[in-house]
Amino acid sequence: MQKLYRPPYVRVSGVLNKNIPIPLYYQLKEKLTQMIQNGEMPVGSLVPSERELSERYGISRMTVRQALGELVKEGLLVREQGKGTFVAEPKINQGLLKLTSFSEDMRSRGMEPDSRVKAIYVQEAPPMVASALGLSSEKRVVIFERVRLADNKPMALEISHLPLAKFPELDKEDLHSASLYKLLEDKYNVSIHHARQTIEVGLSSSVESKYLGIRSKSPVLLIERITFDAKDQPFEFVKSVYRGDRYKLQVELYR
């Protein structure tokens, strides 16, 4: 009989200082954070229960609950109904100043990118897409619906729209493991230059949740991007849904 997988169990140590003005929940939160960051609590490990932490540190379960709740909000821990609280997968920093493909982005982080193509089809562009791409006469677009993966784990649902007139036969291409941007550069001689992008926070639909392996109405990043070539002509409109538990945005600010 096959053995059930049991996540590693973490034993906590140390003490909390009740004689300083720093709240006990915050001390516990910082202690657990440090254990996660230094590898004492590896990804996927089971965190001790509220009762166990309460008894170990001589604090109330309410105090423990507050500390764990803060770590869940910050994405360091994740709760699974009926199973317990676990150390979450680390979030991926998504830079906002450089235009890269998903494949380039994941490889730069030492992760192996992949795609599951859900659909490829040609249709007349919806008004919003036609406007974004500056289409007036020939409005047919090639649409790619793909689930983007890193190390075989779903990260994002991406729907790309590209003008068929500019990219004939694009709907015949195999993009299961290939980079769309590399294909556009190599085969269609597109010089990818810049993009205009908007980002919102939303909740996943049932379909998006199924593709991304998350619960319905989970927090997600909703991203829309118009990509331009070196002649300042738009050639791509993309709508993406990124898992909120795996991504965080990062930008450097200068004065």
Side-chain angles (χ1 to χ4, degrees):
M1 185 173 69
Q2 186 178 8
K3 292 184 178 179
L4 294 175
Y5 169 74
R6 296 186 181 279
Y9 182 78
V10 175
R11 293 190 180 277
V12 294
S13 58
V15 296
L16 304 182
N17 191 337
K18 299 181 180 180
N19 298 315
I20 59 177
I22 300 176
L24 292 172
Y25 89 88
Y26 188 83
Q27 291 187 49
L28 177 59
K29 173 192 167 187
E30 289 300 292
K31 180 168 190 57
L32 295 177
T33 298
Q34 185 177 22
M35 292 180 68
I36 292 171
Q37 292 175 343
N38 65 22
E40 292 179 63
M41 296 175 66
V43 171
S45 59
L46 178 63
V47 178
S49 68
E50 291 180 5
R51 179 183 59 79
E52 292 172 293
L53 289 172
S54 172
E55 293 175 354
R56 173 65 187 80
Y57 290 107
I59 56 179
S60 71
R61 293 182 63 170
M62 184 68 72
T63 299
V64 173
R65 189 173 302 127
Q66 185 176 1
L68 297 181
E70 291 284 328
L71 292 173
V72 169
K73 287 180 182 178
E74 293 178 9
L76 293 176
L77 300 180
V78 59
R79 289 192 176 108
E80 294 188 18
Q81 189 68 33
K83 295 182 179 180
T85 303
F86 301 85
V87 178
E89 294 267 6
K91 289 191 175 185
I92 296 171
N93 282 327
Q94 178 66 49
L96 298 178
L97 297 180
K98 187 176 180 182
L99 177 59
T100 57
S101 71
F102 178 88
S103 298
E104 292 168 338
D105 207 19
M106 292 304 104
R107 288 196 177 101
S108 72
R109 291 166 168 77
M111 306 175 79
E112 185 60 33
D114 201 355
S115 295
R116 291 179 188 153
V117 179
K118 296 301 180 181
I120 303 176
Y121 53 96
V122 176
Q123 71 172 39
E124 184 168 321
M128 181 181 69
V129 175
S131 175
L133 294 176
L135 304 179
S136 54
S137 54
E138 172 54 77
K139 295 185 178 181
R140 287 187 299 165
V141 291
V142 182
I143 300 177
F144 292 94
E145 296 185 8
R146 297 180 291 170
V147 175
R148 312 308 304 270
L149 303 98
D151 289 345
N152 209 34
K153 295 180 181 180
M155 294 289 185
L157 173 62
E158 189 173 275
I159 304 176
S160 303
H161 308 73
L162 298 102
L164 181 63
K166 189 176 182 69
F167 305 108
E169 303 297 316
L170 182 59
D171 56 312
K172 307 295 193 301
E173 296 290 341
D174 180 8
L175 288 176
H176 282 275
S177 298
S179 166
L180 174 60
Y181 279 8
K182 190 173 190 310
L183 173 67
L184 297 181
E185 290 174 326
D186 294 347
K187 182 173 181 177
Y188 295 94
N189 298 314
V190 173
S191 180
I192 301 171
H193 189 263
H194 67 282
R196 186 181 305 132
Q197 186 164 276
T198 62
I199 303 170
E200 297 180 78
V201 176
L203 299 177
S204 60
S205 68
S206 57
V207 173
E208 293 162 351
S209 300
K210 177 182 177 182
Y211 285 154
L212 296 176
I214 55 179
R215 293 179 181 177
S216 185
K217 297 184 178 180
S218 293
V220 291
L221 295 176
L222 305 174
I223 300 176
E224 289 187 1
R225 183 176 73 243
I226 304 172
T227 315
F228 298 81
D229 61 21
K231 297 179 180 179
D232 204 31
Q233 296 298 310
F235 66 86
E236 177 196 40
F237 177 78
V238 187
K239 297 185 71 172
S240 303
V241 181
Y242 279 78
R243 289 178 54 159
D245 63 333
R246 295 304 316 276
Y247 271 82
K248 60 182 177 181
L249 303 177
Q250 176 177 294
V251 61
E252 293 186 20
L253 303 175
Y254 296 91
R255 180 164 178 168

mmCIF file of all heavy atoms in Angstrom, residues 216-239:
data_model
loop_
_atom_site.group_PDB
_atom_site.id
_atom_site.type_symbol
_atom_site.label_atom_id
_atom_site.label_comp_id
_atom_site.label_asym_id
_atom_site.label_seq_id
_atom_site.Cartn_x
_atom_site.Cartn_y
_atom_site.Cartn_z
ATOM 1 N N SER A 216 -11.403 29.398 -5.815
ATOM 2 C CA SER A 216 -12.176 30.453 -6.468
ATOM 3 C C SER A 216 -12.194 31.701 -5.594
ATOM 4 O O SER A 216 -12.238 31.614 -4.362
ATOM 5 C CB SER A 216 -13.602 29.974 -6.722
ATOM 6 O OG SER A 216 -14.333 30.937 -7.452
ATOM 7 N N LYS A 217 -12.106 32.851 -6.232
ATOM 8 C CA LYS A 217 -12.081 34.158 -5.564
ATOM 9 C C LYS A 217 -10.822 34.352 -4.723
ATOM 10 O O LYS A 217 -10.832 35.055 -3.718
ATOM 11 C CB LYS A 217 -13.336 34.366 -4.721
ATOM 12 C CG LYS A 217 -14.628 34.401 -5.538
ATOM 13 C CD LYS A 217 -15.833 34.716 -4.682
ATOM 14 C CE LYS A 217 -17.095 34.780 -5.542
ATOM 15 N NZ LYS A 217 -18.291 35.096 -4.746
ATOM 16 N N SER A 218 -9.718 33.753 -5.172
ATOM 17 C CA SER A 218 -8.427 34.005 -4.531
ATOM 18 C C SER A 218 -7.861 35.325 -5.054
ATOM 19 O O SER A 218 -8.156 35.736 -6.182
ATOM 20 C CB SER A 218 -7.443 32.871 -4.849
ATOM 21 O OG SER A 218 -7.842 31.663 -4.245
ATOM 22 N N PRO A 219 -7.028 36.015 -4.264
ATOM 23 C CA PRO A 219 -6.418 37.262 -4.736
ATOM 24 C C PRO A 219 -5.507 37.019 -5.938
ATOM 25 O O PRO A 219 -4.705 36.075 -5.937
ATOM 26 C CB PRO A 219 -5.617 37.748 -3.530
ATOM 27 C CG PRO A 219 -6.222 37.048 -2.351
ATOM 28 C CD PRO A 219 -6.683 35.723 -2.855
ATOM 29 N N VAL A 220 -5.638 37.853 -6.952
ATOM 30 C CA VAL A 220 -4.807 37.749 -8.151
ATOM 31 C C VAL A 220 -4.407 39.146 -8.614
ATOM 32 O O VAL A 220 -5.029 40.146 -8.247
ATOM 33 C CB VAL A 220 -5.533 37.020 -9.301
ATOM 34 C CG1 VAL A 220 -5.729 35.539 -8.978
ATOM 35 C CG2 VAL A 220 -6.884 37.678 -9.602
ATOM 36 N N LEU A 221 -3.362 39.192 -9.442
ATOM 37 C CA LEU A 221 -2.973 40.423 -10.109
ATOM 38 C C LEU A 221 -3.532 40.393 -11.524
ATOM 39 O O LEU A 221 -3.299 39.436 -12.269
ATOM 40 C CB LEU A 221 -1.449 40.548 -10.161
ATOM 41 C CG LEU A 221 -0.721 40.683 -8.826
ATOM 42 C CD1 LEU A 221 0.790 40.687 -9.050
ATOM 43 C CD2 LEU A 221 -1.151 41.947 -8.101
ATOM 44 N N LEU A 222 -4.291 41.411 -11.892
ATOM 45 C CA LEU A 222 -4.871 41.520 -13.226
ATOM 46 C C LEU A 222 -4.030 42.515 -14.016
ATOM 47 O O LEU A 222 -3.969 43.695 -13.679
ATOM 48 C CB LEU A 222 -6.321 42.000 -13.139
ATOM 49 C CG LEU A 222 -7.245 41.162 -12.236
ATOM 50 C CD1 LEU A 222 -8.622 41.823 -12.123
ATOM 51 C CD2 LEU A 222 -7.375 39.741 -12.772
ATOM 52 N N ILE A 223 -3.377 42.024 -15.052
ATOM 53 C CA ILE A 223 -2.427 42.848 -15.803
ATOM 54 C C ILE A 223 -2.865 42.949 -17.266
ATOM 55 O O ILE A 223 -3.170 41.940 -17.901
ATOM 56 C CB ILE A 223 -1.006 42.261 -15.721
ATOM 57 C CG1 ILE A 223 -0.557 42.203 -14.256
ATOM 58 C CG2 ILE A 223 -0.027 43.084 -16.547
ATOM 59 C CD1 ILE A 223 0.799 41.553 -14.054
ATOM 60 N N GLU A 224 -2.908 44.154 -17.784
ATOM 61 C CA GLU A 224 -3.148 44.399 -19.204
ATOM 62 C C GLU A 224 -1.929 45.114 -19.772
ATOM 63 O O GLU A 224 -1.425 46.059 -19.168
ATOM 64 C CB GLU A 224 -4.402 45.246 -19.421
ATOM 65 C CG GLU A 224 -5.692 44.499 -19.117
ATOM 66 C CD GLU A 224 -6.932 45.303 -19.494
ATOM 67 O OE1 GLU A 224 -6.769 46.440 -20.010
ATOM 68 O OE2 GLU A 224 -8.053 44.803 -19.287
ATOM 69 N N ARG A 225 -1.469 44.647 -20.943
ATOM 70 C CA ARG A 225 -0.267 45.241 -21.524
ATOM 71 C C ARG A 225 -0.432 45.422 -23.028
ATOM 72 O O ARG A 225 -0.917 44.529 -23.729
ATOM 73 C CB ARG A 225 0.952 44.358 -21.241
ATOM 74 C CG ARG A 225 2.260 44.961 -21.755
ATOM 75 C CD ARG A 225 3.469 44.116 -21.392
ATOM 76 N NE ARG A 225 3.545 42.892 -22.172
ATOM 77 C CZ ARG A 225 3.481 41.681 -21.657
ATOM 78 N NH1 ARG A 225 3.325 41.520 -20.348
ATOM 79 N NH2 ARG A 225 3.554 40.613 -22.426
ATOM 80 N N ILE A 226 -0.015 46.576 -23.510
ATOM 81 C CA ILE A 226 0.102 46.838 -24.946
ATOM 82 C C ILE A 226 1.587 46.934 -25.237
ATOM 83 O O ILE A 226 2.293 47.741 -24.629
ATOM 84 C CB ILE A 226 -0.602 48.141 -25.356
ATOM 85 C CG1 ILE A 226 -2.070 48.119 -24.921
ATOM 86 C CG2 ILE A 226 -0.499 48.343 -26.874
ATOM 87 C CD1 ILE A 226 -2.778 49.452 -25.120
ATOM 88 N N THR A 227 2.090 46.111 -26.172
ATOM 89 C CA THR A 227 3.510 46.072 -26.481
ATOM 90 C C THR A 227 3.762 46.732 -27.831
ATOM 91 O O THR A 227 3.009 46.518 -28.786
ATOM 92 C CB THR A 227 4.025 44.619 -26.491
ATOM 93 O OG1 THR A 227 3.504 43.915 -25.355
ATOM 94 C CG2 THR A 227 5.540 44.584 -26.427
ATOM 95 N N PHE A 228 4.829 47.537 -27.895
ATOM 96 C CA PHE A 228 5.138 48.319 -29.087
ATOM 97 C C PHE A 228 6.482 47.893 -29.683
ATOM 98 O O PHE A 228 7.387 47.456 -28.968
ATOM 99 C CB PHE A 228 5.215 49.811 -28.745
ATOM 100 C CG PHE A 228 3.929 50.387 -28.223
ATOM 101 C CD1 PHE A 228 3.572 50.223 -26.893
ATOM 102 C CD2 PHE A 228 3.079 51.100 -29.057
ATOM 103 C CE1 PHE A 228 2.392 50.766 -26.395
ATOM 104 C CE2 PHE A 228 1.899 51.645 -28.577
ATOM 105 C CZ PHE A 228 1.546 51.471 -27.248
ATOM 106 N N ASP A 229 6.608 48.068 -31.022
ATOM 107 C CA ASP A 229 7.887 47.791 -31.672
ATOM 108 C C ASP A 229 8.729 49.064 -31.708
ATOM 109 O O ASP A 229 8.342 50.109 -31.162
ATOM 110 C CB ASP A 229 7.677 47.208 -33.073
ATOM 111 C CG ASP A 229 6.924 48.157 -33.995
ATOM 112 O OD1 ASP A 229 6.893 49.376 -33.732
ATOM 113 O OD2 ASP A 229 6.363 47.678 -35.007
ATOM 114 N N ALA A 230 9.880 48.977 -32.377
ATOM 115 C CA ALA A 230 10.803 50.109 -32.407
ATOM 116 C C ALA A 230 10.254 51.305 -33.174
ATOM 117 O O ALA A 230 10.761 52.425 -33.024
ATOM 118 C CB ALA A 230 12.132 49.663 -33.005
ATOM 119 N N LYS A 231 9.221 51.079 -33.999
ATOM 120 C CA LYS A 231 8.588 52.175 -34.738
ATOM 121 C C LYS A 231 7.388 52.749 -33.981
ATOM 122 O O LYS A 231 6.609 53.505 -34.538
ATOM 123 C CB LYS A 231 8.154 51.688 -36.114
ATOM 124 C CG LYS A 231 9.312 51.245 -36.996
ATOM 125 C CD LYS A 231 8.813 50.739 -38.347
ATOM 126 C CE LYS A 231 9.983 50.287 -39.227
ATOM 127 N NZ LYS A 231 9.492 49.763 -40.537
ATOM 128 N N ASP A 232 7.272 52.368 -32.729
ATOM 129 C CA ASP A 232 6.192 52.825 -31.853
ATOM 130 C C ASP A 232 4.818 52.341 -32.328
ATOM 131 O O ASP A 232 3.801 52.981 -32.081
ATOM 132 C CB ASP A 232 6.196 54.346 -31.724
ATOM 133 C CG ASP A 232 5.516 54.809 -30.436
ATOM 134 O OD1 ASP A 232 5.578 54.064 -29.439
ATOM 135 O OD2 ASP A 232 4.908 55.890 -30.429
ATOM 136 N N GLN A 233 4.800 51.182 -32.991
ATOM 137 C CA GLN A 233 3.550 50.592 -33.449
ATOM 138 C C GLN A 233 3.135 49.458 -32.508
ATOM 139 O O GLN A 233 3.938 48.570 -32.227
ATOM 140 C CB GLN A 233 3.698 50.039 -34.873
ATOM 141 C CG GLN A 233 3.991 51.098 -35.923
ATOM 142 C CD GLN A 233 2.869 52.107 -36.030
ATOM 143 O OE1 GLN A 233 1.702 51.749 -36.159
ATOM 144 N NE2 GLN A 233 3.231 53.396 -35.962
ATOM 145 N N PRO A 234 1.888 49.469 -32.014
ATOM 146 C CA PRO A 234 1.453 48.378 -31.125
ATOM 147 C C PRO A 234 1.278 47.087 -31.910
ATOM 148 O O PRO A 234 0.739 47.099 -33.026
ATOM 149 C CB PRO A 234 0.118 48.888 -30.582
ATOM 150 C CG PRO A 234 -0.387 49.820 -31.640
ATOM 151 C CD PRO A 234 0.817 50.462 -32.241
ATOM 152 N N PHE A 235 1.757 45.989 -31.368
ATOM 153 C CA PHE A 235 1.623 44.709 -32.073
ATOM 154 C C PHE A 235 1.047 43.605 -31.180
ATOM 155 O O PHE A 235 0.769 42.501 -31.652
ATOM 156 C CB PHE A 235 2.978 44.249 -32.627
ATOM 157 C CG PHE A 235 3.991 43.900 -31.578
ATOM 158 C CD1 PHE A 235 4.046 42.622 -31.024
ATOM 159 C CD2 PHE A 235 4.902 44.843 -31.142
ATOM 160 C CE1 PHE A 235 4.976 42.294 -30.058
ATOM 161 C CE2 PHE A 235 5.844 44.529 -30.167
ATOM 162 C CZ PHE A 235 5.883 43.253 -29.622
ATOM 163 N N GLU A 236 0.841 43.891 -29.890
ATOM 164 C CA GLU A 236 0.345 42.845 -28.993
ATOM 165 C C GLU A 236 -0.499 43.475 -27.893
ATOM 166 O O GLU A 236 -0.144 44.513 -27.332
ATOM 167 C CB GLU A 236 1.527 42.101 -28.361
ATOM 168 C CG GLU A 236 1.123 41.035 -27.349
ATOM 169 C CD GLU A 236 2.286 40.592 -26.471
ATOM 170 O OE1 GLU A 236 3.089 41.451 -26.055
ATOM 171 O OE2 GLU A 236 2.370 39.388 -26.192
ATOM 172 N N PHE A 237 -1.620 42.828 -27.601
ATOM 173 C CA PHE A 237 -2.428 43.198 -26.441
ATOM 174 C C PHE A 237 -2.590 41.935 -25.599
ATOM 175 O O PHE A 237 -3.041 40.893 -26.097
ATOM 176 C CB PHE A 237 -3.805 43.725 -26.859
ATOM 177 C CG PHE A 237 -4.700 44.039 -25.684
ATOM 178 C CD1 PHE A 237 -4.534 45.206 -24.953
ATOM 179 C CD2 PHE A 237 -5.698 43.151 -25.292
ATOM 180 C CE1 PHE A 237 -5.350 45.496 -23.859
ATOM 181 C CE2 PHE A 237 -6.514 43.421 -24.203
ATOM 182 C CZ PHE A 237 -6.334 44.606 -23.491
ATOM 183 N N VAL A 238 -2.210 42.028 -24.330
ATOM 184 C CA VAL A 238 -2.216 40.849 -23.450
ATOM 185 C C VAL A 238 -3.023 41.125 -22.192
ATOM 186 O O VAL A 238 -2.890 42.194 -21.575
ATOM 187 C CB VAL A 238 -0.776 40.455 -23.030
ATOM 188 C CG1 VAL A 238 -0.800 39.130 -22.267
ATOM 189 C CG2 VAL A 238 0.132 40.363 -24.221
ATOM 190 N N LYS A 239 -3.853 40.163 -21.825
ATOM 191 C CA LYS A 239 -4.528 40.186 -20.525
ATOM 192 C C LYS A 239 -4.014 38.987 -19.734
ATOM 193 O O LYS A 239 -4.082 37.849 -20.210
ATOM 194 C CB LYS A 239 -6.045 40.099 -20.693
ATOM 195 C CG LYS A 239 -6.651 41.289 -21.436
ATOM 196 C CD LYS A 239 -8.172 41.220 -21.464
ATOM 197 C CE LYS A 239 -8.749 41.495 -20.086
ATOM 198 N NZ LYS A 239 -10.221 41.629 -20.125
#
